Amino acid sequence: MLWVVIGLMAGTGSVVPANARTTELPGGKANWMVSVGGLNTAQTNNYANWTRLGWYIFATDGTVETRWWSWNLKDEPMRVDSGVTGDCGGDVPNCGIQTLASFKQAPAGGFRGTYRYAAGGRLVIDWTADGNGNPRPSALTENWKVDPVDGGKLARISSDGYFGDYGPVTVPTGFSNYSATFGIGYGSNAPISAGNKVDIPTLRSSYGQTPFTGTFVTANNGGVRREGSGVATGYGSWLKCEGSDCVGLRQKNTGCRCGTSPNVDRIRYLANLAPARNNAYTYWCECLAQGKPCYRANNHVQSLLQIIDDDRKLQGWVGVETSTSVNPTTLQPDHDFGNAYWAVLDMVAPGIR
């Protein structure tokens, strides 16, 4: 029922009384896919990193709501089988595709609040209540830069410091009055509903040559880095799974290194998940599997939400990585927070990078 209600909300917008003050929607867009993270150096937050993924829905009466999934590094959330099997054939191993258990369900978290604009057109959001409308003791405030992209069919919000050169990042201040340090989001007026989602066959046939790549801001080994996300290989060249809604790729000659192993290939999967715009994305260095077809220990696990523009066209994903470090033998958390990967990311089409 939640997804139906959200689809109706996003499709119709809020009814504003004739005498009410109207607030301009950010970039003219109501419905946003947004990734936010509290990513910092171990020296600053003692590995208290977290990520949040969901959507923001803006109304012209100056109010905004969000529903989200969130994960905390120190909770050590575990990988689970998504229920989708990567039976792609060819040179891609037949493996169950992993995700986080909560990402297979409707989002449990939420906020309500208001938005306004500061100097230079900055978008300021004040989250003043939880998802049920219960007031917070104090507002959680976020400050976003707003940019039109995709010829005006999308808009983008980003935190200061999200974009930049690859390599170590000095964590910026000023994005929020709480522990959120990085964020990225894309908005349009396409409803947030399962009917506005691209399935895997359409991804391969209609977007097969599009290289979806972007920015990956990650906390790992006690520091924060900015790297590239995605692969500059269109999904049309990935192998389609036989029994499930997914694709797989053997990415050859990568930077993978496992001791003296000559195998430097990386295995990747992208899978469709219910509900709404959810996709699961996983990958690992094949040499880590030590001769087994599937790697179940410290593979990268990313949760993605599709970016759909005003023309109902896919323009990529926003997402998070929540890869807990586990013992390769027992597959249980090893409490090595430095070797976990917690990240905020986007993977987008060339026209909006």
Side-chain angles (χ1 to χ4, degrees):
M1 180 61 70
L2 172 66
W3 301 97
V4 175
V5 171
I6 288 173
L8 292 173
M9 288 173 57
T12 61
S14 299
V15 177
V16 181
N19 61 350
R21 181 178 178 180
T22 299
T23 303
E24 182 181 355
L25 297 172
K29 310 304 179 186
N31 307 316
W32 292 72
M33 301 291 107
V34 182
S35 175
V36 176
L39 309 177
N40 219 314
T41 63
Q43 182 178 9
T44 300
N45 72 358
N46 191 28
Y47 296 107
N49 295 307
W50 57 268
T51 56
R52 191 173 76 221
L53 179 66
W55 51 81
Y56 291 5
I57 299 178
F58 294 87
T60 55
D61 63 357
T63 61
V64 57
E65 297 187 35
T66 177
R67 296 290 291 174
W68 41 258
W69 296 265
S70 68
W71 299 274
N72 295 302
L73 170 57
K74 288 193 172 179
D75 289 340
E76 298 184 298
M78 293 295 292
R79 302 162 179 84
V80 300
D81 285 333
S82 66
V84 179
T85 301
D87 52 351
C88 309
D91 58 2
V92 178
N94 187 331
C95 297
I97 297 171
Q98 294 189 308
T99 186
L100 277 293
S102 58
F103 198 55
K104 298 166 59 178
Q105 306 165 2
F111 292 137
R112 297 183 187 180
T114 60
Y115 69 98
R116 52 196 164 90
Y117 298 97
R122 292 281 179 142
L123 170 67
V124 181
I125 299 175
D126 296 305
W127 299 116
T128 56
D130 66 18
N132 295 319
N134 301 309
R136 290 187 46 80
S138 60
L140 302 176
T141 300
E142 298 165 3
N143 299 278
W144 296 90
K145 180 183 178 182
V146 184
D147 295 299
V149 291
D150 189 27
K153 298 172 185 176
L154 278 176
R156 178 175 63 212
I157 55 176
S158 59
S159 62
D160 287 338
Y162 181 79
F163 295 109
D165 295 335
Y166 292 169
V169 175
T170 299
V171 177
T173 59
F175 172 49
S176 77
N177 70 344
Y178 63 111
S179 58
T181 54
F182 295 94
I184 184 69
Y186 294 85
S188 75
N189 291 312
I192 303 173
S193 60
N196 287 281
K197 181 180 185 179
V198 173
D199 59 19
I200 296 298
T202 303
L203 175 64
R204 297 184 74 246
S205 62
S206 298
Y207 304 89
Q209 302 307 311
T210 303
F212 292 101
T213 59
T215 299
F216 180 80
V217 179
T218 179
N220 174 252
N221 284 326
V224 179
R225 293 182 57 84
R226 186 186 298 106
E227 304 172 9
S229 65
V231 183
T233 303
Y235 288 104
S237 62
W238 290 39
L239 298 180
K240 174 71 172 64
C241 300
E242 292 297 326
S244 303
D245 197 7
C246 63
V247 287
L249 174 72
R250 175 182 293 274
Q251 185 185 11
K252 299 182 182 298
N253 302 318
T254 71
C256 287
R257 291 291 184 273
C258 305
T260 60
S261 172
N263 186 347
V264 294
D265 290 354
R266 189 174 272 123
I267 305 300
R268 296 181 182 265
Y269 301 94
L270 176 73
N272 183 45
L273 292 182
R277 297 189 189 176
N278 299 32
N279 289 124
Y281 188 84
T282 62
Y283 61 94
W284 67 82
C285 291
E286 188 176 38
C287 52
L288 292 173
Q290 298 181 337
K292 297 180 180 179
C294 306
Y295 184 52
R296 287 291 174 265
N298 291 301
N299 53 316
H300 291 262
V301 178
Q302 297 178 355
S303 303
L304 308 179
L305 293 176
Q306 291 187 5
I307 302 164
I308 305 294
D309 70 15
D310 285 347
D311 289 342
R312 310 300 198 264
K313 183 178 180 180
L314 175 71
Q315 294 291 358
W317 295 264
V318 294
V320 299
E321 176 157 342
T322 48
S323 298
T324 294
S325 179
V326 302
N327 182 303
T329 301
T330 65
L331 301 185
Q332 295 303 305
D334 59 12
H335 317 306
D336 184 353
F337 300 124
N339 274 326
Y341 278 85
W342 244 245
V344 171
L345 65 100
D346 68 352
M347 297 193 300
V348 296
I352 63 172
R353 284 201 284 275

